[in-house]
Amino acid sequence: MDASAGSFVAVRRLSGSDRAAAFHHSSSGASPRLLSAEVLTGSSAWIGRGLSCVCAQRRDSDARLSFDLTPTQEECLQRLQNRIEVQYDSANREHQEALRALWCDAFPGTELRGLISEQWKEMGWQGKDPSTDFRGGGFISLENLLYFARNYPKSFQELLRKQNGDRAIWEYPFAVAGVNITFMLIQMLDLQAVKPRSLFGAVFLKLLSENDEAFDILYCITFKLMDQQWLDMHATYMDFNTVMKSTRRQLERELLIEDIQRIEDMPSYRLLAR
């Protein structure tokens, strides 16, 4: 993430009486100022320019590869592509309800005051309107977060609340990181192509044909793996791109393991807890 991209997005890990305040650092060099929120807002570089160098990278050989698909794989890919093409629409009732459901699963017992609210910063959105953060991942990135919250609630809550490990003072924002993970997986697996042009994409489509939820499960695996690598690397928010690159390399290695027949066979799947 370069300095010209604007303010960084970060979360300061707070506790006790300190939870009421956080510092906002801007690239302009201005003095830090107190905010009444735990999540610090900044530019959209995490989803746009800041991630393009991490997630959209493609080896020269990838463009020359092509893999034939079975009719079942073609059907599974088409269903997934249909999901990927849906943009988040803040006027769509279904999308609104999905966003409310995410809040309820993330903070059960805490009433949401509105779809536009300062409360959303507690989840790690860049501002009070989460819809502005979905540009990089579309509606499927919200579906991924909701799937994670409902199917692996223990892991979801651990990551949301930064409960495990010796963590940095400045942490990655949970929700925005989730959108970035969706974007990274779509690029890594080349899921918007007619058919895969990398071995990783071809292997994934075999897993998808075995389980229609393979993309959502892989998302959960990736989020947990990313957080594990974050801890192992003693990373701070300045290291986010480096952590994402490392996470991608690990996923690629696991997808090429010969005896992986199901998405649940991936070694990093064991990191998830229900």
Short mmCIF file of all heavy atoms in Angstrom, two decimals, residues 138-180:
data_model
loop_
_atom_site.label_atom_id
_atom_site.label_comp_id
_atom_site.label_asym_id
_atom_site.label_seq_id
_atom_site.Cartn_x
_atom_site.Cartn_y
_atom_site.Cartn_z
N GLY A 138 -18.35 -7.49 -4.22
CA GLY A 138 -19.73 -7.72 -4.58
C GLY A 138 -20.54 -8.38 -3.47
O GLY A 138 -20.07 -8.54 -2.34
N PHE A 139 -21.75 -8.77 -3.81
CA PHE A 139 -22.65 -9.36 -2.82
C PHE A 139 -22.11 -10.68 -2.28
O PHE A 139 -22.37 -11.05 -1.13
CB PHE A 139 -24.03 -9.57 -3.45
CG PHE A 139 -25.06 -10.11 -2.49
CD1 PHE A 139 -25.40 -9.43 -1.34
CD2 PHE A 139 -25.69 -11.33 -2.75
CE1 PHE A 139 -26.34 -9.93 -0.45
CE2 PHE A 139 -26.63 -11.84 -1.86
CZ PHE A 139 -26.96 -11.14 -0.72
N ILE A 140 -21.34 -11.41 -3.09
CA ILE A 140 -20.83 -12.70 -2.65
C ILE A 140 -19.89 -12.53 -1.45
O ILE A 140 -19.78 -13.43 -0.61
CB ILE A 140 -20.11 -13.44 -3.80
CG1 ILE A 140 -19.86 -14.91 -3.40
CG2 ILE A 140 -18.83 -12.74 -4.22
CD1 ILE A 140 -19.31 -15.75 -4.53
N SER A 141 -19.24 -11.38 -1.33
CA SER A 141 -18.36 -11.17 -0.18
C SER A 141 -19.18 -11.05 1.11
O SER A 141 -18.71 -11.48 2.18
CB SER A 141 -17.49 -9.92 -0.37
OG SER A 141 -18.27 -8.76 -0.53
N LEU A 142 -20.39 -10.51 1.02
CA LEU A 142 -21.29 -10.51 2.17
C LEU A 142 -21.80 -11.92 2.45
O LEU A 142 -21.86 -12.35 3.62
CB LEU A 142 -22.47 -9.56 1.92
CG LEU A 142 -23.59 -9.55 2.96
CD1 LEU A 142 -23.06 -9.30 4.35
CD2 LEU A 142 -24.65 -8.51 2.58
N GLU A 143 -22.13 -12.66 1.39
CA GLU A 143 -22.55 -14.05 1.57
C GLU A 143 -21.45 -14.87 2.23
O GLU A 143 -21.72 -15.73 3.08
CB GLU A 143 -22.92 -14.65 0.22
CG GLU A 143 -24.18 -14.08 -0.41
CD GLU A 143 -24.51 -14.74 -1.74
OE1 GLU A 143 -23.58 -14.90 -2.56
OE2 GLU A 143 -25.68 -15.08 -1.96
N ASN A 144 -20.20 -14.63 1.85
CA ASN A 144 -19.08 -15.35 2.45
C ASN A 144 -18.97 -15.08 3.94
O ASN A 144 -18.79 -16.01 4.74
CB ASN A 144 -17.77 -14.95 1.76
CG ASN A 144 -17.63 -15.48 0.35
OD1 ASN A 144 -16.86 -14.93 -0.44
ND2 ASN A 144 -18.33 -16.54 0.01
N LEU A 145 -19.06 -13.82 4.32
CA LEU A 145 -19.00 -13.46 5.74
C LEU A 145 -20.14 -14.10 6.52
O LEU A 145 -19.95 -14.60 7.63
CB LEU A 145 -19.04 -11.94 5.90
CG LEU A 145 -17.72 -11.19 5.65
CD1 LEU A 145 -17.98 -9.69 5.52
CD2 LEU A 145 -16.72 -11.45 6.78
N LEU A 146 -21.33 -14.08 5.93
CA LEU A 146 -22.50 -14.65 6.59
C LEU A 146 -22.35 -16.17 6.73
O LEU A 146 -22.69 -16.75 7.77
CB LEU A 146 -23.75 -14.29 5.80
CG LEU A 146 -25.11 -14.40 6.49
CD1 LEU A 146 -25.12 -13.64 7.80
CD2 LEU A 146 -26.21 -13.90 5.56
N TYR A 147 -21.83 -16.81 5.70
CA TYR A 147 -21.59 -18.25 5.75
C TYR A 147 -20.59 -18.58 6.86
O TYR A 147 -20.77 -19.54 7.63
CB TYR A 147 -21.06 -18.74 4.40
CG TYR A 147 -20.87 -20.23 4.32
CD1 TYR A 147 -21.89 -21.05 3.83
CD2 TYR A 147 -19.67 -20.83 4.71
CE1 TYR A 147 -21.71 -22.44 3.75
CE2 TYR A 147 -19.49 -22.20 4.64
CZ TYR A 147 -20.52 -23.00 4.16
OH TYR A 147 -20.34 -24.37 4.09
N PHE A 148 -19.53 -17.81 6.95
CA PHE A 148 -18.50 -18.00 7.97
C PHE A 148 -19.12 -17.88 9.37
O PHE A 148 -18.90 -18.73 10.24
CB PHE A 148 -17.40 -16.97 7.77
CG PHE A 148 -16.14 -17.22 8.56
CD1 PHE A 148 -15.91 -18.43 9.21
CD2 PHE A 148 -15.16 -16.24 8.65
CE1 PHE A 148 -14.73 -18.66 9.92
CE2 PHE A 148 -13.99 -16.44 9.36
CZ PHE A 148 -13.78 -17.66 10.00
N ALA A 149 -19.92 -16.84 9.56
CA ALA A 149 -20.53 -16.59 10.88
C ALA A 149 -21.46 -17.72 11.29
O ALA A 149 -21.52 -18.08 12.48
CB ALA A 149 -21.28 -15.26 10.86
N ARG A 150 -22.16 -18.31 10.33
CA ARG A 150 -23.18 -19.30 10.65
C ARG A 150 -22.64 -20.72 10.72
O ARG A 150 -23.17 -21.55 11.45
CB ARG A 150 -24.31 -19.22 9.62
CG ARG A 150 -25.13 -17.95 9.76
CD ARG A 150 -26.21 -17.83 8.73
NE ARG A 150 -27.11 -16.71 9.03
CZ ARG A 150 -28.11 -16.33 8.25
NH1 ARG A 150 -28.34 -16.94 7.09
NH2 ARG A 150 -28.88 -15.30 8.62
N ASN A 151 -21.60 -21.02 9.95
CA ASN A 151 -21.11 -22.39 9.88
C ASN A 151 -19.89 -22.65 10.75
O ASN A 151 -19.66 -23.80 11.15
CB ASN A 151 -20.81 -22.76 8.43
CG ASN A 151 -22.08 -22.89 7.60
OD1 ASN A 151 -22.67 -23.97 7.52
ND2 ASN A 151 -22.50 -21.80 6.97
N TYR A 152 -19.12 -21.61 11.03
CA TYR A 152 -17.95 -21.75 11.90
C TYR A 152 -17.95 -20.60 12.89
O TYR A 152 -17.02 -19.77 12.90
CB TYR A 152 -16.66 -21.78 11.06
CG TYR A 152 -16.66 -22.88 10.02
CD1 TYR A 152 -17.01 -22.63 8.71
CD2 TYR A 152 -16.33 -24.19 10.38
CE1 TYR A 152 -17.04 -23.65 7.76
CE2 TYR A 152 -16.34 -25.20 9.44
CZ TYR A 152 -16.71 -24.93 8.13
OH TYR A 152 -16.73 -25.94 7.20
N PRO A 153 -18.99 -20.51 13.71
CA PRO A 153 -19.15 -19.35 14.59
C PRO A 153 -18.00 -19.16 15.57
O PRO A 153 -17.65 -18.01 15.90
CB PRO A 153 -20.47 -19.63 15.32
CG PRO A 153 -20.68 -21.11 15.20
CD PRO A 153 -20.08 -21.48 13.89
N LYS A 154 -17.41 -20.24 16.05
CA LYS A 154 -16.30 -20.09 17.00
C LYS A 154 -15.11 -19.40 16.34
O LYS A 154 -14.56 -18.44 16.88
CB LYS A 154 -15.88 -21.46 17.54
CG LYS A 154 -14.84 -21.39 18.66
CD LYS A 154 -14.57 -22.79 19.23
CE LYS A 154 -13.67 -22.72 20.46
NZ LYS A 154 -12.34 -22.18 20.16
N SER A 155 -14.73 -19.87 15.16
CA SER A 155 -13.62 -19.24 14.45
C SER A 155 -13.97 -17.81 14.04
O SER A 155 -13.13 -16.90 14.12
CB SER A 155 -13.24 -20.06 13.22
OG SER A 155 -12.62 -21.27 13.57
N PHE A 156 -15.19 -17.60 13.59
CA PHE A 156 -15.64 -16.26 13.19
C PHE A 156 -15.48 -15.28 14.35
O PHE A 156 -14.91 -14.19 14.18
CB PHE A 156 -17.09 -16.33 12.73
CG PHE A 156 -17.66 -15.00 12.30
CD1 PHE A 156 -17.56 -14.58 10.98
CD2 PHE A 156 -18.31 -14.17 13.21
CE1 PHE A 156 -18.09 -13.36 10.58
CE2 PHE A 156 -18.85 -12.95 12.82
CZ PHE A 156 -18.73 -12.54 11.51
N GLN A 157 -15.97 -15.65 15.51
CA GLN A 157 -15.91 -14.76 16.66
C GLN A 157 -14.47 -14.54 17.12
O GLN A 157 -14.10 -13.43 17.54
CB GLN A 157 -16.77 -15.31 17.80
CG GLN A 157 -18.26 -15.25 17.56
CD GLN A 157 -18.80 -13.82 17.50
OE1 GLN A 157 -18.24 -12.91 18.11
NE2 GLN A 157 -19.87 -13.63 16.77
N GLU A 158 -13.65 -15.57 17.05
CA GLU A 158 -12.25 -15.42 17.44
C GLU A 158 -11.54 -14.39 16.57
O GLU A 158 -10.76 -13.58 17.06
CB GLU A 158 -11.53 -16.77 17.33
CG GLU A 158 -11.91 -17.76 18.43
CD GLU A 158 -11.31 -19.14 18.20
OE1 GLU A 158 -10.76 -19.38 17.10
OE2 GLU A 158 -11.40 -19.97 19.12
N LEU A 159 -11.82 -14.42 15.26
CA LEU A 159 -11.18 -13.47 14.35
C LEU A 159 -11.78 -12.08 14.49
O LEU A 159 -11.05 -11.08 14.47
CB LEU A 159 -11.30 -13.96 12.91
CG LEU A 159 -10.15 -14.84 12.41
CD1 LEU A 159 -9.98 -16.10 13.26
CD2 LEU A 159 -10.38 -15.23 10.94
N LEU A 160 -13.10 -12.02 14.60
CA LEU A 160 -13.77 -10.73 14.74
C LEU A 160 -13.26 -9.98 15.97
O LEU A 160 -12.99 -8.77 15.92
CB LEU A 160 -15.28 -10.94 14.86
CG LEU A 160 -16.14 -9.72 15.23
CD1 LEU A 160 -16.07 -8.66 14.14
CD2 LEU A 160 -17.59 -10.14 15.48
N ARG A 161 -13.12 -10.71 17.07
CA ARG A 161 -12.75 -10.08 18.34
C ARG A 161 -11.25 -10.16 18.64
O ARG A 161 -10.81 -9.74 19.71
CB ARG A 161 -13.56 -10.72 19.48
CG ARG A 161 -15.06 -10.60 19.25
CD ARG A 161 -15.87 -11.30 20.31
NE ARG A 161 -17.28 -11.34 19.96
CZ ARG A 161 -18.14 -10.33 20.18
NH1 ARG A 161 -17.71 -9.23 20.75
NH2 ARG A 161 -19.40 -10.45 19.82
N LYS A 162 -10.49 -10.71 17.68
CA LYS A 162 -9.02 -10.80 17.81
C LYS A 162 -8.65 -11.46 19.14
O LYS A 162 -7.88 -10.93 19.93
CB LYS A 162 -8.40 -9.41 17.70
CG LYS A 162 -8.76 -8.64 16.43
CD LYS A 162 -8.19 -9.31 15.19
CE LYS A 162 -8.24 -8.39 13.97
NZ LYS A 162 -9.59 -8.03 13.54
N GLN A 163 -9.20 -12.64 19.38
CA GLN A 163 -9.06 -13.28 20.68
C GLN A 163 -7.79 -14.10 20.84
O GLN A 163 -7.34 -14.32 21.96
CB GLN A 163 -10.28 -14.19 20.93
CG GLN A 163 -11.58 -13.44 21.12
CD GLN A 163 -12.77 -14.36 21.27
OE1 GLN A 163 -12.75 -15.50 20.79
NE2 GLN A 163 -13.83 -13.87 21.90
N ASN A 164 -7.21 -14.58 19.75
CA ASN A 164 -6.09 -15.51 19.85
C ASN A 164 -4.76 -14.84 19.57
O ASN A 164 -4.65 -13.95 18.74
CB ASN A 164 -6.28 -16.68 18.88
CG ASN A 164 -7.46 -17.56 19.26
OD1 ASN A 164 -7.88 -17.57 20.41
ND2 ASN A 164 -7.98 -18.29 18.29
N GLY A 165 -3.73 -15.32 20.26
CA GLY A 165 -2.37 -14.95 19.91
C GLY A 165 -1.91 -13.61 20.48
O GLY A 165 -2.68 -12.83 21.03
N ASP A 166 -0.62 -13.38 20.33
CA ASP A 166 0.02 -12.13 20.74
C ASP A 166 -0.07 -11.18 19.55
O ASP A 166 0.71 -11.23 18.62
CB ASP A 166 1.47 -12.39 21.13
CG ASP A 166 2.17 -11.13 21.63
OD1 ASP A 166 1.46 -10.14 21.93
OD2 ASP A 166 3.41 -11.13 21.70
N ARG A 167 -1.05 -10.28 19.59
CA ARG A 167 -1.40 -9.49 18.42
C ARG A 167 -0.75 -8.12 18.44
O ARG A 167 -0.34 -7.60 19.48
CB ARG A 167 -2.92 -9.36 18.32
CG ARG A 167 -3.67 -10.67 18.51
CD ARG A 167 -5.10 -10.57 18.03
NE ARG A 167 -5.16 -10.56 16.58
CZ ARG A 167 -5.38 -11.63 15.83
NH1 ARG A 167 -5.56 -12.81 16.39
NH2 ARG A 167 -5.43 -11.55 14.52
N ALA A 168 -0.68 -7.52 17.25
CA ALA A 168 -0.11 -6.19 17.11
C ALA A 168 -1.06 -5.14 17.72
O ALA A 168 -2.26 -5.39 17.90
CB ALA A 168 0.11 -5.87 15.63
N ILE A 169 -0.50 -3.98 18.03
CA ILE A 169 -1.34 -2.89 18.53
C ILE A 169 -2.31 -2.44 17.44
O ILE A 169 -3.48 -2.21 17.68
CB ILE A 169 -0.47 -1.71 18.99
CG1 ILE A 169 0.35 -2.13 20.21
CG2 ILE A 169 -1.33 -0.49 19.33
CD1 ILE A 169 1.31 -1.05 20.69
N TRP A 170 -1.80 -2.34 16.20
CA TRP A 170 -2.65 -1.95 15.07
C TRP A 170 -2.98 -3.20 14.26
O TRP A 170 -2.11 -3.81 13.65
CB TRP A 170 -1.95 -0.91 14.20
CG TRP A 170 -1.77 0.39 14.92
CD1 TRP A 170 -0.63 0.85 15.51
CD2 TRP A 170 -2.77 1.37 15.18
NE1 TRP A 170 -0.86 2.06 16.09
CE2 TRP A 170 -2.15 2.42 15.92
CE3 TRP A 170 -4.13 1.48 14.86
CZ2 TRP A 170 -2.85 3.55 16.33
CZ3 TRP A 170 -4.82 2.61 15.27
CH2 TRP A 170 -4.19 3.62 15.99
N GLU A 171 -4.25 -3.57 14.25
CA GLU A 171 -4.71 -4.80 13.64
C GLU A 171 -5.41 -4.53 12.31
O GLU A 171 -5.84 -3.42 12.03
CB GLU A 171 -5.69 -5.51 14.58
CG GLU A 171 -5.01 -6.28 15.70
CD GLU A 171 -4.40 -7.57 15.19
OE1 GLU A 171 -5.07 -8.32 14.46
OE2 GLU A 171 -3.22 -7.83 15.52
N TYR A 172 -5.56 -5.59 11.50
CA TYR A 172 -6.33 -5.45 10.26
C TYR A 172 -7.81 -5.34 10.60
O TYR A 172 -8.29 -5.93 11.56
CB TYR A 172 -6.09 -6.65 9.34
CG TYR A 172 -6.55 -7.98 9.88
CD1 TYR A 172 -7.88 -8.40 9.74
CD2 TYR A 172 -5.67 -8.86 10.52
CE1 TYR A 172 -8.31 -9.62 10.22
CE2 TYR A 172 -6.09 -10.08 11.02
CZ TYR A 172 -7.41 -10.45 10.86
OH TYR A 172 -7.85 -11.66 11.36
N PRO A 173 -8.58 -4.56 9.83
CA PRO A 173 -10.03 -4.46 10.05
C PRO A 173 -10.72 -5.72 9.54
O PRO A 173 -10.60 -6.07 8.37
CB PRO A 173 -10.44 -3.22 9.25
CG PRO A 173 -9.41 -3.12 8.18
CD PRO A 173 -8.13 -3.67 8.73
N PHE A 174 -11.44 -6.38 10.39
CA PHE A 174 -12.00 -7.71 10.11
C PHE A 174 -12.84 -7.73 8.84
O PHE A 174 -12.60 -8.54 7.93
CB PHE A 174 -12.83 -8.16 11.31
CG PHE A 174 -13.59 -9.44 11.09
CD1 PHE A 174 -12.96 -10.67 11.19
CD2 PHE A 174 -14.95 -9.41 10.76
CE1 PHE A 174 -13.66 -11.85 10.97
CE2 PHE A 174 -15.65 -10.59 10.55
CZ PHE A 174 -15.00 -11.81 10.65
N ALA A 175 -13.86 -6.90 8.76
CA ALA A 175 -14.80 -6.98 7.64
C ALA A 175 -14.15 -6.62 6.31
O ALA A 175 -14.37 -7.30 5.30
CB ALA A 175 -16.00 -6.06 7.90
N VAL A 176 -13.36 -5.57 6.29
CA VAL A 176 -12.68 -5.17 5.06
C VAL A 176 -11.70 -6.25 4.60
O VAL A 176 -11.58 -6.54 3.41
CB VAL A 176 -11.98 -3.82 5.24
CG1 VAL A 176 -11.18 -3.45 4.00
CG2 VAL A 176 -13.00 -2.72 5.53
N ALA A 177 -11.03 -6.87 5.56
CA ALA A 177 -10.15 -7.99 5.21
C ALA A 177 -10.95 -9.12 4.57
O ALA A 177 -10.49 -9.76 3.62
CB ALA A 177 -9.42 -8.50 6.46
N GLY A 178 -12.17 -9.35 5.07
CA GLY A 178 -13.01 -10.39 4.51
C GLY A 178 -13.37 -10.12 3.06
O GLY A 178 -13.38 -11.04 2.23
N VAL A 179 -13.67 -8.87 2.72
CA VAL A 179 -13.96 -8.52 1.33
C VAL A 179 -12.73 -8.74 0.46
O VAL A 179 -12.82 -9.26 -0.66
CB VAL A 179 -14.44 -7.05 1.23
CG1 VAL A 179 -14.63 -6.64 -0.24
CG2 VAL A 179 -15.75 -6.85 2.00
N ASN A 180 -11.57 -8.38 0.98
CA ASN A 180 -10.33 -8.59 0.24
C ASN A 180 -10.06 -10.06 -0.02
O ASN A 180 -9.54 -10.43 -1.08
CB ASN A 180 -9.15 -7.99 1.02
CG ASN A 180 -9.12 -6.48 0.94
OD1 ASN A 180 -9.50 -5.90 -0.06
ND2 ASN A 180 -8.68 -5.83 2.01
#
